[in-house]
Coordinates of all heavy atoms in Angstrom, one line a residue:
L166 N 10.4 13.5 -2.0 CA 11.8 13.7 -2.0 C 12.3 14.7 -1.0 O 13.4 14.6 -0.4 CB 12.2 13.9 -3.4 CG 11.9 12.9 -4.4 CD1 12.5 13.1 -5.8 CD2 12.3 11.4 -4.0
A167 N 11.5 15.8 -1.0 CA 11.9 16.9 0.1 C 11.8 16.4 1.5 O 12.7 16.6 2.3 CB 11.1 18.1 -0.2
D168 N 10.9 15.6 1.7 CA 10.7 15.0 3.1 C 11.8 13.9 3.4 O 12.3 13.9 4.4 CB 9.4 14.3 3.2 CG 8.1 15.2 3.3 OD1 8.4 16.4 3.4 OD2 7.0 14.7 3.1
S169 N 12.2 13.3 2.4 CA 13.2 12.3 2.4 C 14.5 12.9 2.9 O 15.3 12.4 3.7 CB 13.4 11.3 1.2 OG 12.2 10.7 0.9
E170 N 14.9 13.9 2.2 CA 16.1 14.7 2.5 C 16.0 15.2 3.9 O 17.2 15.3 4.6 CB 16.3 15.9 1.4 CG 16.5 15.4 0.0 CD 16.9 16.6 -0.8 OE1 17.6 17.6 -0.3 OE2 16.7 16.6 -2.1
A171 N 14.9 15.7 4.3 CA 14.7 16.3 5.7 C 14.8 15.2 6.8 O 15.2 15.4 7.8 CB 13.5 17.1 5.8
L172 N 14.5 13.9 6.4 CA 14.4 12.9 7.4 C 15.7 12.1 7.5 O 15.9 11.4 8.5 CB 13.2 12.0 7.1 CG 11.8 12.5 7.3 CD1 10.7 11.8 6.6 CD2 11.6 12.7 8.8
A173 N 16.5 12.1 6.4 CA 17.6 11.2 6.4 C 18.9 11.9 6.8 O 19.3 12.9 6.3 CB 17.8 10.7 4.9
D174 N 19.7 11.2 7.7 CA 21.0 11.6 8.1 C 22.1 11.1 7.2 O 23.2 11.8 7.0 CB 21.3 11.3 9.5 CG 20.7 12.3 10.5 OD1 20.4 13.4 10.2 OD2 20.4 11.8 11.6
R175 N 21.9 10.0 6.6 CA 22.9 9.3 5.8 C 22.6 9.2 4.3 O 23.3 9.6 3.4 CB 23.4 8.0 6.4 CG 24.0 8.1 7.8 CD 24.4 6.7 8.3 NE 24.5 6.6 9.7 CZ 24.6 5.6 10.5 NH1 24.6 4.3 10.0 NH2 24.7 5.8 11.8
F176 N 21.5 8.4 4.1 CA 21.2 7.9 2.8 C 19.8 7.6 2.6 O 19.0 7.2 3.5 CB 22.0 6.6 2.6 CG 22.0 6.1 1.2 CD1 22.5 6.8 0.2 CD2 21.4 4.9 0.9 CE1 22.6 6.2 -1.1 CE2 21.5 4.3 -0.4 CZ 22.0 5.0 -1.4
V177 N 19.3 7.8 1.3 CA 17.9 7.5 0.9 C 18.0 6.6 -0.4 O 18.7 6.9 -1.2 CB 17.1 8.8 0.5 CG1 15.7 8.6 0.2 CG2 17.2 9.9 1.7
V178 N 17.1 5.6 -0.3 CA 16.9 4.9 -1.5 C 15.4 4.5 -1.8 O 14.9 3.9 -0.9 CB 17.9 3.6 -1.5 CG1 17.5 2.7 -0.3 CG2 17.6 2.7 -2.7
H179 N 14.9 4.9 -2.9 CA 13.6 4.7 -3.2 C 13.7 3.7 -4.4 O 14.1 4.0 -5.5 CB 12.8 6.0 -3.6 CG 12.6 6.9 -2.6 ND1 11.9 6.5 -1.3 CD2 13.0 8.3 -2.4 CE1 11.9 7.6 -0.6 NE2 12.6 8.6 -1.2
S180 N 13.2 2.5 -4.3 CA 13.3 1.5 -5.2 C 11.9 1.1 -5.9 O 10.9 1.2 -5.3 CB 13.8 0.2 -4.6 OG 13.9 -0.9 -5.6
D181 N 11.9 0.9 -7.2 CA 10.6 0.8 -7.9 C 10.7 -0.1 -9.0 O 11.9 -0.4 -9.4 CB 10.0 2.1 -8.3 CG 8.5 2.2 -8.3 OD1 7.9 1.0 -8.5 OD2 7.9 3.3 -8.3
L182 N 9.7 -0.4 -9.7 CA 9.6 -1.2 -10.9 C 10.1 -0.3 -12.1 O 10.0 0.9 -12.0 CB 8.3 -1.7 -11.2 CG 7.5 -2.5 -10.2 CD1 6.0 -2.5 -10.4 CD2 8.0 -3.9 -10.2
E183 N 10.7 -0.9 -13.1 CA 10.9 -0.3 -14.3 C 10.1 -0.8 -15.5 O 10.0 -1.9 -15.6 CB 12.5 -0.4 -14.7 CG 12.7 0.4 -16.0 CD 14.1 0.2 -16.4 OE1 14.9 -0.7 -16.2 OE2 14.6 1.3 -17.2
R184 N 9.4 0.1 -16.1 CA 8.4 -0.3 -17.1 C 9.0 -1.0 -18.3 O 10.0 -0.6 -18.8 CB 7.7 1.0 -17.7 CG 6.5 0.7 -18.5 CD 5.8 2.0 -18.9 NE 6.5 2.8 -19.9 CZ 7.2 3.9 -19.7 NH1 7.2 4.3 -18.4 NH2 7.8 4.6 -20.6
S185 N 8.5 -2.2 -18.7 CA 9.1 -3.0 -19.7 C 8.0 -3.9 -20.2 O 7.3 -4.6 -19.5 CB 10.4 -3.7 -19.2 OG 10.7 -4.8 -20.0
P186 N 7.9 -4.2 -21.5 CA 7.0 -5.2 -22.1 C 7.4 -6.6 -21.7 O 6.5 -7.4 -21.4 CB 7.1 -5.0 -23.5 CG 8.4 -4.2 -23.8 CD 8.6 -3.4 -22.6
V187 N 8.7 -6.9 -21.4 CA 9.1 -8.1 -21.1 C 8.7 -8.4 -19.6 O 8.3 -9.5 -19.3 CB 10.7 -8.2 -21.2 CG1 11.1 -9.6 -20.7 CG2 11.0 -8.1 -22.7
A188 N 9.0 -7.4 -18.6 CA 8.5 -7.5 -17.3 C 7.0 -7.7 -17.2 O 6.6 -8.5 -16.4 CB 9.0 -6.2 -16.6
Y189 N 6.3 -7.0 -18.1 CA 4.8 -7.1 -18.0 C 4.4 -8.5 -18.3 O 3.6 -9.1 -17.6 CB 4.3 -6.1 -19.0 CG 2.8 -5.9 -19.0 CD1 2.1 -5.0 -18.1 CD2 2.0 -6.7 -19.8 CE1 0.8 -4.8 -18.2 CE2 0.6 -6.6 -19.9 CZ 0.0 -5.7 -19.0 OH -1.3 -5.6 -19.0
R190 N 4.9 -9.0 -19.4 CA 4.5 -10.4 -19.9 C 4.9 -11.4 -18.9 O 4.0 -12.3 -18.6 CB 5.1 -10.6 -21.3 CG 4.6 -11.8 -21.9 CD 3.1 -11.9 -22.0 NE 2.6 -13.2 -22.7 CZ 1.3 -13.6 -22.6 NH1 0.5 -12.9 -21.8 NH2 1.0 -14.7 -23.2
A191 N 6.2 -11.2 -18.4 CA 6.6 -12.4 -17.5 C 5.7 -12.3 -16.1 O 5.3 -13.3 -15.7 CB 8.0 -12.1 -17.1
Y192 N 5.4 -11.2 -15.7 CA 4.4 -10.9 -14.4 C 3.2 -11.5 -14.8 O 2.6 -12.2 -13.9 CB 4.6 -9.6 -14.0 CG 3.9 -9.4 -12.6 CD1 4.5 -9.5 -11.5 CD2 2.5 -9.0 -12.6 CE1 3.9 -9.3 -10.2 CE2 1.8 -8.9 -11.4 CZ 2.5 -9.0 -10.2 OH 1.9 -8.9 -9.0
Q193 N 2.6 -11.2 -16.0 CA 1.3 -11.6 -16.3 C 1.1 -13.0 -16.3 O 0.2 -13.6 -15.7 CB 1.0 -11.1 -17.7 CG -0.4 -11.2 -18.1 CD -0.7 -10.6 -19.5 OE1 0.1 -10.6 -20.4 NE2 -1.8 -9.9 -19.6
I194 N 2.1 -13.8 -16.8 CA 2.1 -15.2 -16.8 C 2.3 -15.8 -15.5 O 1.5 -16.7 -15.1 CB 3.2 -15.8 -17.8 CG1 2.9 -15.4 -19.2 CG2 3.3 -17.3 -17.8 CD1 4.0 -15.6 -20.2
A195 N 3.2 -15.3 -14.7 CA 3.6 -15.8 -13.3 C 2.5 -15.7 -12.5 O 2.4 -16.5 -11.5 CB 4.9 -15.2 -12.8
T196 N 1.7 -14.5 -12.5 CA 0.8 -14.4 -11.4 C -0.6 -14.8 -11.9 O -1.7 -14.6 -11.1 CB 0.8 -12.9 -11.1 OG1 0.5 -12.0 -12.2 CG2 2.1 -12.5 -10.3
W197 N -0.8 -15.2 -13.1 CA -2.1 -15.5 -13.5 C -2.8 -16.6 -12.7 O -4.1 -16.5 -12.3 CB -2.1 -15.9 -15.0 CG -3.5 -16.4 -15.6 CD1 -3.8 -17.7 -15.8 CD2 -4.7 -15.7 -15.6 NE1 -5.2 -17.7 -16.2 CE2 -5.8 -16.4 -16.1 CE3 -4.9 -14.2 -15.4 CZ2 -7.0 -16.0 -16.4 CZ3 -6.3 -13.8 -15.8 CH2 -7.3 -14.7 -16.2
P198 N -2.0 -17.6 -12.3 CA -2.8 -18.6 -11.4 C -3.4 -18.2 -10.1 O -4.3 -18.8 -9.6 CB -1.6 -19.8 -11.2 CG -0.7 -19.5 -12.3 CD -0.7 -17.9 -12.7
V199 N -3.0 -17.0 -9.7 CA -3.4 -16.4 -8.4 C -4.2 -15.2 -8.7 O -4.5 -14.5 -7.6 CB -2.3 -16.2 -7.4 CG1 -1.6 -17.6 -7.0 CG2 -1.4 -15.2 -7.9
S200 N -4.6 -15.0 -9.9 CA -5.3 -13.7 -10.2 C -6.6 -13.4 -9.5 O -7.1 -12.3 -9.4 CB -5.5 -13.7 -11.7 OG -6.3 -14.7 -12.2
R201 N -7.3 -14.5 -9.0 CA -8.6 -14.3 -8.5 C -8.6 -14.3 -6.8 O -9.6 -14.0 -6.2 CB -9.6 -15.4 -8.8 CG -9.9 -15.3 -10.3 CD -10.8 -14.2 -10.7 NE -10.8 -14.0 -12.1 CZ -11.6 -13.0 -12.6 NH1 -12.5 -12.4 -11.9 NH2 -11.6 -12.8 -13.9
R202 N -7.4 -14.5 -6.3 CA -7.4 -14.7 -4.8 C -7.1 -13.3 -4.2 O -7.0 -13.2 -2.9 CB -6.5 -15.7 -4.3 CG -5.0 -15.4 -4.4 CD -4.3 -16.6 -3.9 NE -2.8 -16.2 -3.6 CZ -1.9 -17.1 -3.5 NH1 -2.1 -18.5 -3.5 NH2 -0.6 -16.7 -3.2
S203 N -6.5 -12.4 -4.9 CA -6.1 -11.1 -4.4 C -6.0 -10.0 -5.6 O -6.3 -10.4 -6.7 CB -4.7 -11.1 -3.7 OG -3.7 -11.2 -4.6
F204 N -5.5 -8.8 -5.2 CA -5.4 -7.9 -6.3 C -3.9 -7.9 -6.8 O -3.5 -7.1 -7.7 CB -5.6 -6.5 -5.8 CG -7.0 -6.2 -5.1 CD1 -7.0 -5.5 -4.0 CD2 -8.1 -6.6 -5.8 CE1 -8.3 -5.3 -3.4 CE2 -9.3 -6.4 -5.2 CZ -9.4 -5.8 -4.1

Side-chain angles (χ1 to χ4, degrees):
L166 301 187
D168 290 349
S169 298
E170 290 188 32
L172 290 164
D174 281 334
R175 298 182 198 164
F176 188 66
V177 182
V178 53
H179 295 301
S180 179
D181 209 340
L182 303 161
E183 183 176 24
R184 190 175 74 256
S185 160
V187 177
Y189 184 92
R190 184 58 177 160
Y192 186 88
Q193 188 176 43
I194 294 170
T196 59
W197 175 250
V199 298
S200 61
R201 294 288 166 172
R202 79 179 190 195
S203 75
F204 300 135

